[in-house]
């Protein structure tokens, strides 16, 4: 096996390492058989993410990270990266995986790492996330479960809102403006900026719109 890296069109060519959505996302479960609202409309379960050639590398990564050489291989892979996103789909479902990701972060100080996650819900992950947050090149953002803009200040680092004006002129919040640039970051690197407490993402896509409509009914 070998490291499988993803490139998503939104991120200006910035690369990511990913797993299959939902099945590696324990934090997406609200109750048995029921997903939290934000995950009901997950973009990583629609569109191109459903194709076999997209699913395959994510499935391979689930096995590959368990190799003894995986961290060494990831460090070499990131030699020329200045920004990196962990998990454009999936989550750090394993504490052992989280430890290895932390090792990669420590050994690549030249690269800014962004890690969105819902695994903060599980107490055993708190210590490893505290260590990640202490690194100057790492932005760990705990994702809120809401799709109507609800979040806990001081805990959540990202949230979904129904529209761009949900957070109009609220201090400490950076609005993702990808919707103004055909769904692309277009040079914005706020998600990697540790000094920004919260990133707000306007909802997009038919699946998410349906979730919000049901929630607001």
């Amino acid at each position: 096996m070998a490291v499988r890296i993803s490139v998503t069109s939104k991120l200006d060519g910035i690369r990511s390492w990913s797993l299959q959505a939902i099945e590696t996302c324990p934090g997406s479960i609200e109750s048995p058989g029921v997903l939290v609202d934000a995950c009901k409309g997950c973009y990583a379960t629609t569109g191109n993410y459903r194709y076999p050639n997209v699913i395959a590398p994510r499935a391979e990564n689930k096995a590959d990270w368990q190799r003894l050489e995986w961290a060494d291989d990831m460090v070499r892979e990131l030699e020329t990266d200045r920004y990196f996103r962990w998990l454009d789909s999936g989550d750090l479902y394993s504490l052992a995986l989280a430890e290895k990701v932390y090792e990669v972060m420590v050994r690549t100080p030249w690269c800014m790492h962004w890690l969105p996650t819902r695994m903060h819900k599980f107490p055993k992950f708190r210590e490893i996330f505290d260590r990640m947050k202490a690194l100057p090149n790492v932005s760990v953002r705990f994702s809120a479960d809401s799709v109507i803009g609800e979040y806990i200040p001081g805990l959540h680092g990202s949230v979904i809102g129904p529209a761009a004006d949900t957070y109009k002129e609220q201090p400490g919040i950076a609005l993702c403006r990808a919707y103004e640039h055909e769904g692309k970051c277009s040079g914005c690197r706020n998600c990697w900026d540790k000094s920004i407490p919260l990133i707000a993402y306007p909802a997009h896509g038919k699946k998410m719109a349906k979730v919000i409509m049901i929630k607001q009914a």
Side-chain angles (χ1 to χ4, degrees):
M1 289 188 176
V3 169
R4 301 292 296 270
I5 299 296
S6 305
V7 180
T8 55
S9 59
K10 176 183 178 181
L11 297 180
D12 302 337
I14 292 172
R15 305 192 303 161
S16 60
W17 184 90
S18 302
L19 297 166
Q20 189 62 13
I22 307 302
E23 70 178 64
T24 62
C25 302
S28 70
I29 307 299
E30 182 175 49
S31 59
V34 179
L35 296 174
V36 301
D37 290 336
C39 297
K40 290 175 183 176
C42 177
Y43 64 84
T45 60
T46 62
N48 292 337
Y49 284 88
R50 297 175 296 176
Y51 295 140
N53 66 316
V54 177
I55 293 173
R58 286 161 172 76
E60 290 178 18
N61 280 342
K62 188 178 180 183
D64 183 53
W65 72 262
Q66 300 176 60
R67 289 186 298 113
L68 291 176
E69 304 87 356
W70 183 81
D72 292 336
D73 290 347
M74 281 297 302
V75 171
R76 280 193 292 270
E77 185 69 33
L78 298 183
E79 282 182 354
T80 60
D81 291 73
R82 293 299 173 263
Y83 289 89
F84 192 75
R85 173 176 178 171
W86 290 95
L87 301 160
D88 67 82
S89 63
D91 207 341
L92 288 183
Y93 69 97
S94 163
L95 191 56
L97 171 59
E99 289 284 359
K100 285 195 172 184
V101 168
Y102 172 75
E103 179 185 347
V104 175
M105 292 170 169
V106 169
R107 294 173 60 188
T108 55
W110 61 83
C111 182
M112 296 298 297
H113 298 262
W114 163 34
L115 170 66
T117 183
R118 286 190 165 78
M119 296 306 294
H120 63 281
K121 299 176 181 180
F122 303 96
K124 69 179 181 180
F125 283 86
R126 290 173 185 168
E127 193 270 339
I128 184 64
F129 286 144
D130 285 344
R131 280 190 277 138
M132 288 180 177
K133 287 181 173 183
L135 297 174
N137 61 321
V138 177
S139 172
V140 178
R141 295 194 177 276
F142 297 159
S143 303
D145 293 335
S146 174
V147 295
I148 57 173
E150 297 173 340
Y151 66 96
I152 300 175
L155 174 64
H156 294 130
S158 64
V159 66
I160 297 171
D165 61 1
T166 305
Y167 302 97
K168 190 175 182 180
E169 297 180 358
Q170 290 191 34
I173 298 177
L175 179 68
C176 174
R177 298 189 176 277
Y179 67 94
E180 297 177 346
H181 307 285
E182 299 181 340
K184 301 184 188 307
C185 294
S186 294
C188 177
R189 299 293 181 264
N190 284 343
C191 292
W192 286 266
D193 189 340
K194 296 165 69 82
S195 70
I196 298 175
L198 187 76
I199 306 292
Y201 302 99
H204 60 89
K206 293 180 180 179
K207 191 173 182 180
M208 186 63 77
K210 184 177 180 179
V211 174
I212 293 173
M213 181 179 67
I214 293 172
K215 187 70 177 179
Q216 293 180 326

